[in-house]
Amino acid sequence: MEKGNTLLHHDQLLVTSNKVPCIGIFQLDIKSNHIYWNNDLKEIHQAPLNFTPRTEALYGNCDNLNQKDLITKAHKKAINEGIPFELTYGILTQKGEKRIVRTTVQPALKNGYCTRLHGTTIEISQFNNSQVDTVQQLEQLNAAEILANSGSWKWNIITDKLIWSDNFYSIFDHDPNSPISFEVYLNYVHQEDKEKIAAKFERALKDKIFPESVYRIQLSNGTIKTLRSSGKVIINDEDDIVSLMGTCQDITEQVAKEQELFEKNNN
């Protein structure tokens, strides 16, 4: 069992790529339609520092119609259903250069509705296939998780290797140097929710369906948190399951405020 940022050390990435990859960070406020790009993202798209992105160009100028359609569909699902996504696609920069990027998007939910999208984009044009995996693992440790108070995980069913992102460790208050496994994860799940969560994973392995769920965990110090979890089942060409991956968002504060409002309105 390994921790996300120990998969491949940062210096190994420098050796194989000969450059530090820019990690672009963006945010979309659904209500105001305001978009934020950090300077690294502007560099990836070769945009000037004073560039103000428009909604239709949130993910850059995708130069492939099929890929553009996939982005549009994933974007709508993220807003309407709160489903995070990760896509690799080609862009045409503002200077006319073709690049390949990988974008990860995490919705931030309030009262069951998406209020913001947080995301990261990293250019992977310069990496070969094995190095793309390196970037994918590094990208899990992105600012979007911290902003959305979420964490991500991946479980290789074939090797039984489980990976948690840094913020997943933080949410569970688990020592990054301690071993992790499905059993370790399940031990954190609140006793009253444990059977439900175990059944969800059993269903995923049997029916290849990983439904969204809300459940509680109890930390070693007794603190109880409420999480919203979503994920997907990864299969190979033979329709065999090779891995499960997903995200969880800490919605403890949101649930507490909703409960407080409910009690106030019913007193």
Side-chain angles (χ1 to χ4, degrees):
M1 305 307 165
E2 300 185 29
K3 181 173 178 285
N5 63 352
T6 60
L7 286 171
L8 286 160
H9 294 296
H10 193 69
D11 57 345
Q12 289 178 296
L13 183 61
L14 292 177
V15 169
T16 53
S17 67
N18 293 318
K19 67 177 288 190
V20 179
C22 293
I23 298 195
I25 297 174
F26 61 89
Q27 177 177 307
L28 167 66
D29 185 284
I30 304 301
K31 186 176 181 179
S32 68
N33 231 23
H34 178 264
I35 296 174
Y36 164 77
W37 277 14
N38 73 344
N39 288 341
D40 278 351
L41 187 55
K42 292 174 183 178
E43 182 179 334
I44 289 171
H45 292 280
Q46 293 187 319
L49 293 181
N50 62 353
F51 174 70
T52 302
R54 295 174 296 178
T55 307
E56 60 268 24
L58 174 63
Y59 305 105
N61 181 20
C62 180
D63 60 352
N64 181 289
L65 291 179
N66 290 330
Q67 291 178 344
K68 196 170 185 177
D69 185 54
L70 287 175
I71 295 170
T72 300
K73 289 179 179 177
H75 175 78
K76 289 180 178 179
K77 277 192 172 185
I79 294 175
N80 297 330
E81 303 176 38
I83 300 175
F85 67 89
E86 179 180 73
L87 290 172
T88 299
Y89 54 94
I91 61 168
L92 189 65
T93 71
Q94 293 191 20
K95 292 185 178 180
E97 182 180 322
K98 289 189 174 184
R99 292 181 172 181
I100 300 172
V101 297
R102 171 170 281 140
T103 294
T104 301
V105 174
Q106 174 68 50
L109 304 177
K110 183 177 181 180
N111 298 327
Y113 296 94
C114 179
T115 58
R116 294 182 309 280
L117 294 180
H118 301 287
T120 59
T121 295
I122 190 165
E123 184 192 356
I124 59 173
S125 308
Q126 69 271 36
F127 299 110
N128 59 33
N129 290 336
S130 63
Q131 291 166 334
V132 166
D133 291 334
T134 301
V135 176
Q136 185 176 24
Q137 299 306 331
L138 289 174
E139 191 176 359
Q140 288 182 346
L141 315 174
N142 61 59
E145 289 193 340
I146 299 173
L147 289 169
N149 203 12
S150 66
S152 57
W153 55 271
K154 184 175 183 180
W155 183 12
N156 187 314
I157 302 301
I158 298 173
T159 63
D160 196 31
K161 180 187 294 183
L162 182 63
I163 299 168
W164 288 359
S165 69
D166 273 1
N167 217 43
F168 200 97
Y169 277 91
S170 297
I171 290 172
F172 282 71
D173 195 27
H174 186 79
D175 182 359
N177 296 315
S178 297
I180 57 173
S181 65
F182 178 71
E183 289 72 25
V184 169
Y185 158 76
L186 202 58
N187 283 336
Y188 278 107
V189 178
H190 193 282
Q191 192 62 38
E192 294 178 5
D193 296 339
K194 200 180 295 287
E195 184 177 346
K196 175 181 74 174
I197 295 304
K200 183 178 79 167
F201 277 88
E202 288 177 8
R203 182 186 180 191
L205 295 173
K206 179 182 178 182
D207 301 330
K208 299 169 184 158
I209 297 173
F210 198 92
E212 181 175 318
S213 62
V214 174
Y215 65 99
R216 294 163 295 172
I217 61 172
Q218 186 164 7
L219 308 185
S220 56
N221 63 6
T223 300
I224 295 176
K225 294 183 177 182
T226 303
L227 308 181
R228 177 181 283 112
S229 170
S230 62
K232 59 183 177 180
V233 180
I234 310 300
I235 58 176
N236 59 19
D237 293 337
E238 286 73 43
D239 203 37
D240 297 321
I241 297 175
V242 293
S243 64
L244 303 178
M245 63 186 301
T247 63
C248 74
Q249 183 180 28
D250 184 354
I251 59 171
T252 307
E253 185 176 344
Q254 172 188 325
V255 170
K257 288 181 179 179
E258 290 176 353
Q259 181 63 31
E260 181 182 348
L261 182 62
F262 174 80
E263 292 175 355
K264 182 179 180 180
N265 292 336
N266 287 273
N267 282 338

